[in-house]
Amino acid sequence: MEALKQAFNFSDFQRFDLLVAGSTAIFLLLFPLLPHSSFAMSTLIQFLMFSLYGMGWNTIGGYGGQVDLGKAQYVGIGAFTTAVMLIRWDIPFWVSMPTGMFLAICWSFIIGYPLFRLTGHYFAIATIATSLILKDIFEVWDFVGAARGLEISPIKYTSPDFLRLIFKEDMYYYYIILAFFFIGIFYVNWFRKSRLGFQLRSIKDNEDVARSLGINVHWAKIKTYAVATAFVSMVGSFHACYIKNIEPEDTMNLDLSILIALMAMLGGAGSLWGPIIGAAVLIPLKSYLKEYLGAQVGFVGIDLILYALIIMLISAFEPRGIWGIIEKIRQRRGK
Amino acid sequence: MSILLSSIVAGLLFGMVLAFISLGLTIIFGVMDIVNFAHGEFLMIGMYTGLFTAQATGIDPLLTLPVAALVGFSLGVICYYGFIRFLLRGPILAQLLGTFGLMLLLRNLALMIFGSEDRALHKGILVGKSFELGMGVIIPATKAVVAGLSVVAFLAIWLFMNRSRVGKALTATALNAQGARYMGIPTERMNALAWGIGVATVTIAGALIVNFWPVNPFVGILFTMIAFTIVALGGFGSIPGAFFAGIIVGLITEIPGFWDFITYTFNVGWMADVPMTSLKYMWVYLTYFVIMVLRPRGLFGWKH
């Protein structure tokens, strides 16, 4: 009960921020009823998925300051668990999603235990390495479709199928991921004020001091890593049903891991709104650049070049992200 | 038996090639603690430089090395003054993502300019030649030359870092940048020099490996990951460490060869079914992971 009250308590934000957040929420709820193109709809679904990935990354990377560049492996675990269970045994999404989360958490404990002995660059590269190990295994493992991956054929199922999450219209997918999105926000809002959240932030500030205060640093990191993992694998399961065609090369590659971390950093790592702002800027930018400059004007690769320039500018000149810029402006006004 | 021997020899040779590729990464990391994701892309640029210089001028690919070195050195210095300088002030996350952005930029520029097809060298003194050591071991001349030059490059860099005045200043910057600044060492210029040398060595390696490895804009990422593994295994910034770690990783990439040896010698049926060749690089990452856990500073880690 107390936890729920904490989750719905946003009183430490300024009224203006809450106004913006509230109107955005109303817009997101009403969006499918407004006139829109299917391209805009799929971009918004992408935005919601990536905000959730970013929120997951943010718990360990933003609040905890552990640079994790291997989140894609959990996207893969979630996606493949759902796809395998649906295709081979016809098990509904609402069972396979928690199973995927459970498997992802188990894997996160197995690799997290040795991983969190490392710090800095060693940790970052080790997370990449574990992700690539898993990807290589999936690429030769016939049970999960090897390098060809798995395809959920929608023809077999009557549409709309809420149990298995197979729909023809994107609108249903939209509302389901939107529900996840709201749950995610409330969860992170609770998390950052929970005991673990405070422990984690003290670890980020100074690990030695945190240890001397009696915090079990290693265990706190592992627990938070499991939380982050659960988030990411949950969206991975959704991804499997939404995209319907998953390959290790798409769901578990390094670019996806980096994109997830980038999302949070662009918006502002370590703040509740950061990953959402980051995804709101980056995902539409990426998909519209690709659509208009890449596909229509014919500059193949120009979208990625611009995208690379944005990454470079942000990381060189404003590593605290957009949220950092907003706070800077506010401080200047306050003076 | 000959499978085993040729696997070992191939592993040693490939290991020296990989060590050569990682040399630049370890220099850069050693001096300024920055992990460079764009390393493989510099390798790719070196490969294209070697390829096009050889094709345009008609000289032998081996003679394109000075061009590659020049391109690499200026590219490294430009990157440092134009971009990396600003990254060094930020947190680790910004550094990692910033160099990742550089990697995306270089890769996609290459894609735009050169297209996505594979290009390879078809002529040259070395191409297609090989010599036999006996017992069925055959060494391609291209790889042998790269391996030999790799040893030379390591010795040269090691001597430079430990014997020359500028090299000592570089080492001092690596050990304690602030202290070095108090002693009157221009650390900013030392960082730029490290980037110049680091990128130059990898473009030279690129101009060499284009003799036996086809080039396309996406060739970098595999080598980046392997170079990370080697540098981490050898201890970030350690030059002898990178050499030995390179050889270890080279031998590990030949695990499929050893696997075949056991499969055929003892005639084990189930072993033949395992797609070991596809798992080649998994063993590299796994070794990295295990060694990191046991020895978090790497095999020859010297800093911190």
PDB file of all heavy atoms in Angstrom, chain A residues 256-278:
ATOM      1  N   LEU A 256      21.753  -2.251 -31.094  1.00  0.00           N
ATOM      2  CA  LEU A 256      20.556  -2.097 -30.270  1.00  0.00           C
ATOM      3  C   LEU A 256      20.947  -1.761 -28.834  1.00  0.00           C
ATOM      4  O   LEU A 256      20.369  -0.856 -28.218  1.00  0.00           O
ATOM      5  CB  LEU A 256      19.723  -3.380 -30.319  1.00  0.00           C
ATOM      6  CG  LEU A 256      18.447  -3.358 -29.505  1.00  0.00           C
ATOM      7  CD1 LEU A 256      17.513  -2.276 -29.996  1.00  0.00           C
ATOM      8  CD2 LEU A 256      17.742  -4.695 -29.551  1.00  0.00           C
ATOM      9  N   SER A 257      21.936  -2.474 -28.302  1.00  0.00           N
ATOM     10  CA  SER A 257      22.400  -2.180 -26.935  1.00  0.00           C
ATOM     11  C   SER A 257      22.818  -0.731 -26.805  1.00  0.00           C
ATOM     12  O   SER A 257      22.474  -0.049 -25.834  1.00  0.00           O
ATOM     13  CB  SER A 257      23.604  -3.043 -26.578  1.00  0.00           C
ATOM     14  OG  SER A 257      23.259  -4.376 -26.542  1.00  0.00           O
ATOM     15  N   ILE A 258      23.570  -0.262 -27.809  1.00  0.00           N
ATOM     16  CA  ILE A 258      24.070   1.107 -27.749  1.00  0.00           C
ATOM     17  C   ILE A 258      22.919   2.078 -27.863  1.00  0.00           C
ATOM     18  O   ILE A 258      22.857   3.079 -27.144  1.00  0.00           O
ATOM     19  CB  ILE A 258      25.069   1.357 -28.892  1.00  0.00           C
ATOM     20  CG1 ILE A 258      26.198   0.353 -28.833  1.00  0.00           C
ATOM     21  CG2 ILE A 258      25.562   2.781 -28.875  1.00  0.00           C
ATOM     22  CD1 ILE A 258      27.378   0.763 -28.076  1.00  0.00           C
ATOM     23  N   LEU A 259      21.970   1.767 -28.749  1.00  0.00           N
ATOM     24  CA  LEU A 259      20.822   2.656 -28.935  1.00  0.00           C
ATOM     25  C   LEU A 259      20.064   2.817 -27.619  1.00  0.00           C
ATOM     26  O   LEU A 259      19.632   3.919 -27.268  1.00  0.00           O
ATOM     27  CB  LEU A 259      19.909   2.070 -30.010  1.00  0.00           C
ATOM     28  CG  LEU A 259      18.812   2.981 -30.531  1.00  0.00           C
ATOM     29  CD1 LEU A 259      19.406   4.222 -31.153  1.00  0.00           C
ATOM     30  CD2 LEU A 259      17.944   2.262 -31.536  1.00  0.00           C
ATOM     31  N   ILE A 260      19.922   1.719 -26.881  1.00  0.00           N
ATOM     32  CA  ILE A 260      19.210   1.780 -25.604  1.00  0.00           C
ATOM     33  C   ILE A 260      19.933   2.704 -24.624  1.00  0.00           C
ATOM     34  O   ILE A 260      19.324   3.561 -23.982  1.00  0.00           O
ATOM     35  CB  ILE A 260      19.064   0.357 -25.018  1.00  0.00           C
ATOM     36  CG1 ILE A 260      18.106  -0.463 -25.889  1.00  0.00           C
ATOM     37  CG2 ILE A 260      18.542   0.407 -23.598  1.00  0.00           C
ATOM     38  CD1 ILE A 260      18.044  -1.918 -25.522  1.00  0.00           C
ATOM     39  N   ALA A 261      21.260   2.539 -24.543  1.00  0.00           N
ATOM     40  CA  ALA A 261      22.020   3.399 -23.627  1.00  0.00           C
ATOM     41  C   ALA A 261      21.960   4.852 -24.088  1.00  0.00           C
ATOM     42  O   ALA A 261      21.834   5.776 -23.276  1.00  0.00           O
ATOM     43  CB  ALA A 261      23.462   2.927 -23.550  1.00  0.00           C
ATOM     44  N   LEU A 262      22.018   5.027 -25.406  1.00  0.00           N
ATOM     45  CA  LEU A 262      22.036   6.373 -25.973  1.00  0.00           C
ATOM     46  C   LEU A 262      20.751   7.126 -25.660  1.00  0.00           C
ATOM     47  O   LEU A 262      20.765   8.312 -25.326  1.00  0.00           O
ATOM     48  CB  LEU A 262      22.197   6.246 -27.482  1.00  0.00           C
ATOM     49  CG  LEU A 262      22.277   7.553 -28.238  1.00  0.00           C
ATOM     50  CD1 LEU A 262      23.538   8.266 -27.851  1.00  0.00           C
ATOM     51  CD2 LEU A 262      22.252   7.285 -29.709  1.00  0.00           C
ATOM     52  N   MET A 263      19.636   6.391 -25.765  1.00  0.00           N
ATOM     53  CA  MET A 263      18.324   6.947 -25.478  1.00  0.00           C
ATOM     54  C   MET A 263      18.309   7.628 -24.126  1.00  0.00           C
ATOM     55  O   MET A 263      17.875   8.762 -23.978  1.00  0.00           O
ATOM     56  CB  MET A 263      17.366   5.768 -25.444  1.00  0.00           C
ATOM     57  CG  MET A 263      15.993   6.059 -25.778  1.00  0.00           C
ATOM     58  SD  MET A 263      15.892   6.292 -27.500  1.00  0.00           S
ATOM     59  CE  MET A 263      16.468   4.747 -28.083  1.00  0.00           C
ATOM     60  N   ALA A 264      18.795   6.884 -23.131  1.00  0.00           N
ATOM     61  CA  ALA A 264      18.778   7.413 -21.773  1.00  0.00           C
ATOM     62  C   ALA A 264      19.750   8.575 -21.640  1.00  0.00           C
ATOM     63  O   ALA A 264      19.460   9.570 -20.982  1.00  0.00           O
ATOM     64  CB  ALA A 264      19.123   6.310 -20.782  1.00  0.00           C
ATOM     65  N   MET A 265      20.906   8.477 -22.299  1.00  0.00           N
ATOM     66  CA  MET A 265      21.884   9.543 -22.138  1.00  0.00           C
ATOM     67  C   MET A 265      21.437  10.811 -22.844  1.00  0.00           C
ATOM     68  O   MET A 265      21.601  11.905 -22.304  1.00  0.00           O
ATOM     69  CB  MET A 265      23.235   9.124 -22.684  1.00  0.00           C
ATOM     70  CG  MET A 265      24.297  10.108 -22.272  1.00  0.00           C
ATOM     71  SD  MET A 265      25.870   9.760 -22.993  1.00  0.00           S
ATOM     72  CE  MET A 265      25.874  10.917 -24.302  1.00  0.00           C
ATOM     73  N   LEU A 266      20.842  10.661 -24.015  1.00  0.00           N
ATOM     74  CA  LEU A 266      20.389  11.837 -24.756  1.00  0.00           C
ATOM     75  C   LEU A 266      19.352  12.609 -23.953  1.00  0.00           C
ATOM     76  O   LEU A 266      19.389  13.834 -23.878  1.00  0.00           O
ATOM     77  CB  LEU A 266      19.803  11.399 -26.094  1.00  0.00           C
ATOM     78  CG  LEU A 266      19.292  12.514 -26.990  1.00  0.00           C
ATOM     79  CD1 LEU A 266      20.457  13.312 -27.518  1.00  0.00           C
ATOM     80  CD2 LEU A 266      18.497  11.950 -28.150  1.00  0.00           C
ATOM     81  N   GLY A 267      18.431  11.884 -23.326  1.00  0.00           N
ATOM     82  CA  GLY A 267      17.413  12.566 -22.542  1.00  0.00           C
ATOM     83  C   GLY A 267      17.965  13.052 -21.217  1.00  0.00           C
ATOM     84  O   GLY A 267      17.628  14.120 -20.732  1.00  0.00           O
ATOM     85  N   GLY A 268      18.816  12.284 -20.615  1.00  0.00           N
ATOM     86  CA  GLY A 268      19.360  12.622 -19.305  1.00  0.00           C
ATOM     87  C   GLY A 268      19.345  11.389 -18.420  1.00  0.00           C
ATOM     88  O   GLY A 268      18.292  11.010 -17.920  1.00  0.00           O
ATOM     89  N   ALA A 269      20.506  10.745 -18.262  1.00  0.00           N
ATOM     90  CA  ALA A 269      20.570   9.522 -17.468  1.00  0.00           C
ATOM     91  C   ALA A 269      20.373   9.867 -15.996  1.00  0.00           C
ATOM     92  O   ALA A 269      20.840  10.898 -15.528  1.00  0.00           O
ATOM     93  CB  ALA A 269      21.913   8.835 -17.677  1.00  0.00           C
ATOM     94  N   GLY A 270      19.656   9.010 -15.295  1.00  0.00           N
ATOM     95  CA  GLY A 270      19.478   9.216 -13.868  1.00  0.00           C
ATOM     96  C   GLY A 270      18.335  10.147 -13.520  1.00  0.00           C
ATOM     97  O   GLY A 270      18.266  10.649 -12.411  1.00  0.00           O
ATOM     98  N   SER A 271      17.431  10.404 -14.481  1.00  0.00           N
ATOM     99  CA  SER A 271      16.229  11.137 -14.120  1.00  0.00           C
ATOM    100  C   SER A 271      15.037  10.365 -14.663  1.00  0.00           C
ATOM    101  O   SER A 271      15.174   9.606 -15.624  1.00  0.00           O
ATOM    102  CB  SER A 271      16.260  12.552 -14.693  1.00  0.00           C
ATOM    103  OG  SER A 271      16.023  12.510 -16.071  1.00  0.00           O
ATOM    104  N   LEU A 272      13.889  10.563 -14.052  1.00  0.00           N
ATOM    105  CA  LEU A 272      12.719   9.771 -14.425  1.00  0.00           C
ATOM    106  C   LEU A 272      12.309  10.032 -15.869  1.00  0.00           C
ATOM    107  O   LEU A 272      11.990   9.116 -16.615  1.00  0.00           O
ATOM    108  CB  LEU A 272      11.564  10.102 -13.465  1.00  0.00           C
ATOM    109  CG  LEU A 272      10.238   9.392 -13.709  1.00  0.00           C
ATOM    110  CD1 LEU A 272      10.418   7.895 -13.642  1.00  0.00           C
ATOM    111  CD2 LEU A 272       9.208   9.844 -12.704  1.00  0.00           C
ATOM    112  N   TRP A 273      12.338  11.313 -16.290  1.00  0.00           N
ATOM    113  CA  TRP A 273      11.846  11.643 -17.622  1.00  0.00           C
ATOM    114  C   TRP A 273      12.918  11.454 -18.693  1.00  0.00           C
ATOM    115  O   TRP A 273      12.605  11.470 -19.880  1.00  0.00           O
ATOM    116  CB  TRP A 273      11.338  13.086 -17.680  1.00  0.00           C
ATOM    117  CG  TRP A 273      10.404  13.439 -16.580  1.00  0.00           C
ATOM    118  CD1 TRP A 273      10.591  14.387 -15.624  1.00  0.00           C
ATOM    119  CD2 TRP A 273       9.126  12.846 -16.294  1.00  0.00           C
ATOM    120  NE1 TRP A 273       9.526  14.425 -14.763  1.00  0.00           N
ATOM    121  CE2 TRP A 273       8.611  13.489 -15.148  1.00  0.00           C
ATOM    122  CE3 TRP A 273       8.378  11.825 -16.885  1.00  0.00           C
ATOM    123  CZ2 TRP A 273       7.393  13.164 -14.573  1.00  0.00           C
ATOM    124  CZ3 TRP A 273       7.161  11.490 -16.321  1.00  0.00           C
ATOM    125  CH2 TRP A 273       6.673  12.154 -15.184  1.00  0.00           C
ATOM    126  N   GLY A 274      14.167  11.336 -18.297  1.00  0.00           N
ATOM    127  CA  GLY A 274      15.273  11.288 -19.250  1.00  0.00           C
ATOM    128  C   GLY A 274      15.088  10.317 -20.407  1.00  0.00           C
ATOM    129  O   GLY A 274      15.074  10.738 -21.564  1.00  0.00           O
ATOM    130  N   PRO A 275      14.921   9.006 -20.130  1.00  0.00           N
ATOM    131  CA  PRO A 275      14.792   8.055 -21.234  1.00  0.00           C
ATOM    132  C   PRO A 275      13.599   8.352 -22.131  1.00  0.00           C
ATOM    133  O   PRO A 275      13.663   8.135 -23.344  1.00  0.00           O
ATOM    134  CB  PRO A 275      14.585   6.715 -20.529  1.00  0.00           C
ATOM    135  CG  PRO A 275      14.988   6.912 -19.138  1.00  0.00           C
ATOM    136  CD  PRO A 275      14.886   8.356 -18.817  1.00  0.00           C
ATOM    137  N   ILE A 276      12.518   8.880 -21.536  1.00  0.00           N
ATOM    138  CA  ILE A 276      11.324   9.165 -22.341  1.00  0.00           C
ATOM    139  C   ILE A 276      11.604  10.327 -23.289  1.00  0.00           C
ATOM    140  O   ILE A 276      11.287  10.266 -24.481  1.00  0.00           O
ATOM    141  CB  ILE A 276      10.132   9.486 -21.431  1.00  0.00           C
ATOM    142  CG1 ILE A 276       9.932   8.334 -20.449  1.00  0.00           C
ATOM    143  CG2 ILE A 276       8.878   9.726 -22.242  1.00  0.00           C
ATOM    144  CD1 ILE A 276       8.952   8.623 -19.364  1.00  0.00           C
ATOM    145  N   ILE A 277      12.250  11.365 -22.757  1.00  0.00           N
ATOM    146  CA  ILE A 277      12.599  12.504 -23.613  1.00  0.00           C
ATOM    147  C   ILE A 277      13.543  12.048 -24.718  1.00  0.00           C
ATOM    148  O   ILE A 277      13.381  12.389 -25.893  1.00  0.00           O
ATOM    149  CB  ILE A 277      13.258  13.628 -22.789  1.00  0.00           C
ATOM    150  CG1 ILE A 277      12.275  14.164 -21.754  1.00  0.00           C
ATOM    151  CG2 ILE A 277      13.712  14.759 -23.692  1.00  0.00           C
ATOM    152  CD1 ILE A 277      12.892  15.152 -20.795  1.00  0.00           C
ATOM    153  N   GLY A 278      14.530  11.246 -24.319  1.00  0.00           N
ATOM    154  CA  GLY A 278      15.506  10.760 -25.297  1.00  0.00           C
ATOM    155  C   GLY A 278      14.837   9.992 -26.417  1.00  0.00           C
ATOM    156  O   GLY A 278      15.096  10.224 -27.605  1.00  0.00           O
TER     157      GLY A 278
END
